[in-house]
Coordinates of all heavy atoms in Angstrom, one line a residue:
V173 N -44.4 -150.7 43.5 CA -43.1 -151.5 43.6 C -41.9 -150.6 43.5 O -41.0 -150.7 44.3 CB -43.1 -152.7 42.6 CG1 -41.8 -153.4 42.7 CG2 -44.3 -153.6 42.9
T174 N -41.9 -149.7 42.5 CA -40.6 -148.9 42.3 C -40.7 -147.5 42.9 O -39.8 -146.8 42.8 CB -40.3 -148.9 40.8 OG1 -39.9 -150.2 40.4 CG2 -39.2 -148.0 40.4
S175 N -41.8 -147.2 43.6 CA -41.9 -145.9 44.3 C -41.7 -146.0 45.8 O -41.1 -145.1 46.4 CB -43.2 -145.2 43.9 OG -44.3 -146.0 44.2
L176 N -42.2 -147.1 46.4 CA -42.2 -147.1 47.9 C -40.8 -147.0 48.5 O -39.9 -147.8 48.2 CB -42.8 -148.4 48.4 CG -43.2 -148.4 49.9 CD1 -44.3 -147.4 50.2 CD2 -43.4 -149.8 50.4
G177 N -40.5 -146.0 49.2 CA -39.2 -145.7 49.8 C -38.4 -144.8 49.0 O -37.3 -144.4 49.4
G178 N -38.8 -144.4 47.8 CA -38.1 -143.5 46.9 C -38.9 -142.2 46.6 O -38.3 -141.1 46.4
H179 N -40.2 -142.4 46.5 CA -41.1 -141.3 46.2 C -42.2 -141.3 47.3 O -42.5 -142.4 47.8 CB -41.9 -141.6 44.9 CG -41.1 -141.2 43.7 ND1 -41.2 -139.9 43.1 CD2 -40.2 -141.9 42.9 CE1 -40.4 -139.9 42.0 NE2 -39.8 -141.0 41.9
P180 N -42.8 -140.2 47.6 CA -43.9 -140.3 48.5 C -45.0 -141.2 48.0 O -45.3 -141.2 46.8 CB -44.5 -138.8 48.5 CG -43.3 -138.0 48.1 CD -42.5 -138.8 47.1
V181 N -45.5 -142.1 48.9 CA -46.7 -143.0 48.6 C -47.6 -142.7 49.8 O -47.4 -143.2 50.9 CB -46.2 -144.5 48.6 CG1 -47.4 -145.4 48.4 CG2 -45.2 -144.7 47.4
K182 N -48.7 -142.0 49.5 CA -49.6 -141.6 50.6 C -51.0 -142.4 50.5 O -51.9 -141.8 49.9 CB -49.8 -140.1 50.6 CG -48.5 -139.4 50.6 CD -48.5 -138.1 51.2 CE -47.1 -137.7 51.5 NZ -46.9 -136.4 52.0
V183 N -50.9 -143.6 51.0 CA -52.1 -144.5 50.8 C -53.4 -143.9 51.3 O -54.4 -143.8 50.6 CB -51.8 -145.8 51.5 CG1 -53.0 -146.7 51.6 CG2 -50.7 -146.6 50.7
D184 N -53.4 -143.4 52.5 CA -54.7 -142.9 53.1 C -55.1 -141.5 52.4 O -56.2 -141.4 52.0 CB -54.5 -142.6 54.6 CG -54.5 -144.0 55.3 OD1 -54.6 -145.0 54.7 OD2 -54.3 -144.0 56.6
E185 N -54.1 -140.6 52.3 CA -54.4 -139.3 51.7 C -54.9 -139.5 50.3 O -55.8 -138.7 49.8 CB -53.2 -138.5 51.7 CG -53.4 -137.0 51.7 CD -52.0 -136.3 51.8 OE1 -51.3 -136.5 52.7 OE2 -51.7 -135.5 50.8
W186 N -54.4 -140.4 49.5 CA -54.8 -140.5 48.1 C -56.0 -141.5 47.9 O -56.3 -141.8 46.8 CB -53.6 -141.0 47.2 CG -52.4 -140.1 47.3 CD1 -52.4 -138.8 47.7 CD2 -51.1 -140.4 46.9 NE1 -51.2 -138.2 47.5 CE2 -50.3 -139.2 47.0 CE3 -50.4 -141.5 46.4 CZ2 -49.0 -139.1 46.7 CZ3 -49.1 -141.4 46.1 CH2 -48.4 -140.2 46.3
G187 N -56.5 -142.0 49.0 CA -57.7 -142.9 48.9 C -57.3 -144.2 48.2 O -58.2 -144.8 47.6
V188 N -56.1 -144.7 48.4 CA -55.7 -146.0 47.8 C -56.3 -147.1 48.7 O -56.1 -147.1 49.9 CB -54.2 -146.1 47.7 CG1 -53.8 -147.4 47.1 CG2 -53.7 -144.9 46.8
D189 N -57.0 -148.1 48.1 CA -57.5 -149.2 48.9 C -56.6 -150.3 49.0 O -56.6 -151.1 50.0 CB -58.9 -149.6 48.3 CG -59.9 -148.6 48.4 OD1 -60.3 -148.3 49.6 OD2 -60.3 -148.0 47.4
I190 N -55.8 -150.6 48.0 CA -54.9 -151.7 48.0 C -53.6 -151.2 47.4 O -53.6 -150.7 46.3 CB -55.4 -152.9 47.1 CG1 -56.8 -153.4 47.7 CG2 -54.4 -154.0 47.1 CD1 -57.7 -154.0 46.7
C191 N -52.5 -151.4 48.1 CA -51.2 -151.0 47.6 C -50.2 -152.0 47.9 O -50.1 -152.5 49.0 CB -50.9 -149.6 48.2 SG -49.4 -148.8 47.5
Y192 N -49.4 -152.4 46.9 CA -48.3 -153.3 47.2 C -47.0 -152.8 46.6 O -46.9 -152.0 45.8 CB -48.7 -154.7 46.5 CG -48.8 -154.7 45.0 CD1 -47.7 -154.8 44.2 CD2 -50.0 -154.4 44.4 CE1 -47.8 -154.7 42.8 CE2 -50.2 -154.3 43.1 CZ -49.1 -154.5 42.3 OH -49.2 -154.4 40.9
S193 N -45.9 -153.4 47.1 CA -44.6 -153.1 46.7 C -43.7 -154.3 46.7 O -44.2 -155.4 46.8 CB -44.0 -152.0 47.6 OG -42.9 -151.4 47.0
G194 N -42.4 -154.1 46.6 CA -41.4 -155.2 46.6 C -40.3 -154.7 47.5 O -40.1 -153.5 47.7
T195 N -39.4 -155.6 47.9 CA -38.4 -155.2 48.9 C -37.1 -154.8 48.1 O -36.3 -154.0 48.7 CB -38.0 -156.4 49.8 OG1 -37.9 -157.6 49.0 CG2 -39.1 -156.5 50.8
Q196 N -36.9 -155.2 46.9 CA -35.6 -155.1 46.3 C -35.4 -153.8 45.5 O -34.4 -153.6 44.8 CB -35.2 -156.3 45.4 CG -35.9 -156.3 44.1 CD -37.3 -156.9 44.1 OE1 -38.0 -156.9 45.1 NE2 -37.8 -157.4 42.9
K197 N -36.4 -152.9 45.6 CA -36.2 -151.7 44.8 C -35.8 -150.5 45.7 O -34.7 -150.6 46.3 CB -37.5 -151.5 43.9 CG -37.7 -152.7 43.1 CD -38.4 -152.6 41.8 CE -38.4 -154.0 41.2 NZ -39.3 -154.1 40.0
C198 N -36.7 -149.6 46.0 CA -36.2 -148.4 46.8 C -36.1 -148.8 48.3 O -35.6 -148.0 49.1 CB -37.1 -147.2 46.6 SG -37.1 -146.6 44.9
L199 N -36.5 -149.9 48.7 CA -36.3 -150.3 50.1 C -34.9 -150.9 50.4 O -34.5 -151.1 51.5 CB -37.4 -151.2 50.6 CG -38.9 -150.7 50.6 CD1 -39.9 -151.7 51.0 CD2 -39.0 -149.4 51.5
S200 N -34.3 -151.3 49.3 CA -32.9 -151.8 49.4 C -32.8 -153.0 50.3 O -32.0 -153.0 51.3 CB -31.9 -150.7 49.8 OG -31.4 -150.1 48.6
C201 N -33.5 -154.0 50.0 CA -33.5 -155.2 50.8 C -33.5 -156.3 49.7 O -33.9 -156.1 48.6 CB -34.8 -155.3 51.6 SG -35.1 -156.7 52.5
P202 N -32.9 -157.5 49.9 CA -33.0 -158.5 48.8 C -34.4 -158.8 48.4 O -35.3 -158.6 49.2 CB -32.3 -159.7 49.5 CG -31.4 -159.2 50.5 CD -32.2 -158.0 51.1
P203 N -34.6 -159.3 47.2 CA -35.9 -159.7 46.8 C -36.5 -160.9 47.6 O -35.7 -161.7 48.0 CB -35.7 -160.1 45.3 CG -34.3 -160.4 45.1 CD -33.6 -159.5 46.1
G204 N -37.7 -160.9 47.8 CA -38.3 -162.0 48.6 C -39.6 -161.7 49.3 O -40.3 -162.6 49.7
L205 N -39.8 -160.4 49.6 CA -41.1 -160.1 50.3 C -41.8 -159.0 49.5 O -41.2 -158.2 48.8 CB -40.8 -159.6 51.7 CG -40.3 -160.6 52.7 CD1 -40.0 -160.0 54.0 CD2 -41.3 -161.8 52.9
A206 N -43.1 -158.9 49.7 CA -43.9 -157.9 49.0 C -44.8 -157.2 50.0 O -45.9 -157.7 50.4 CB -44.8 -158.5 47.9
P207 N -44.4 -156.0 50.5 CA -45.2 -155.3 51.5 C -46.6 -155.0 50.8 O -46.6 -154.6 49.6 CB -44.5 -154.0 51.7 CG -43.0 -154.3 51.4 CD -43.1 -155.3 50.3
I208 N -47.6 -155.1 51.6 CA -49.0 -154.8 51.0 C -49.9 -154.2 52.1 O -49.7 -154.5 53.3 CB -49.6 -156.1 50.4 CG1 -50.8 -155.8 49.5 CG2 -50.1 -157.1 51.5 CD1 -51.2 -157.0 48.6
T209 N -50.8 -153.4 51.6 CA -51.8 -152.9 52.6 C -53.2 -152.9 52.0 O -53.3 -152.6 50.8 CB -51.3 -151.4 53.1 OG1 -52.2 -151.0 54.1 CG2 -51.3 -150.4 51.9
F210 N -54.2 -153.2 52.8 CA -55.6 -153.3 52.4 C -56.4 -152.4 53.3 O -56.3 -152.5 54.5 CB -56.1 -154.7 52.5 CG -56.0 -155.6 51.3 CD1 -54.8 -155.8 50.7 CD2 -57.1 -156.3 50.8 CE1 -54.7 -156.6 49.6 CE2 -57.0 -157.1 49.7 CZ -55.8 -157.3 49.1
S211 N -57.2 -151.5 52.7 CA -58.1 -150.7 53.5 C -59.2 -151.5 54.0 O -59.5 -152.7 53.6 CB -58.7 -149.5 52.6 OG -59.6 -150.1 51.7
Q212 N -60.0 -150.9 55.0 CA -61.2 -151.6 55.5 C -62.1 -152.0 54.4 O -62.7 -153.1 54.4 CB -61.8 -150.5 56.4 CG -62.9 -151.1 57.3 CD -62.4 -151.9 58.4 OE1 -61.3 -151.7 58.9 NE2 -63.1 -153.0 58.8

Side-chain angles (χ1 to χ4, degrees):
V173 176
T174 292
S175 50
L176 192 72
H179 279 268
V181 175
K182 307 210 165 176
V183 166
D184 290 356
E185 203 178 304
W186 299 344
V188 179
D189 292 293
I190 300 153
C191 190
Y192 61 88
S193 189
T195 47
Q196 77 273 25
K197 305 210 179 170
C198 297
L199 298 176
S200 272
C201 177
L205 293 176
I208 197 164
T209 186
F210 269 53
S211 69
Q212 192 72 34

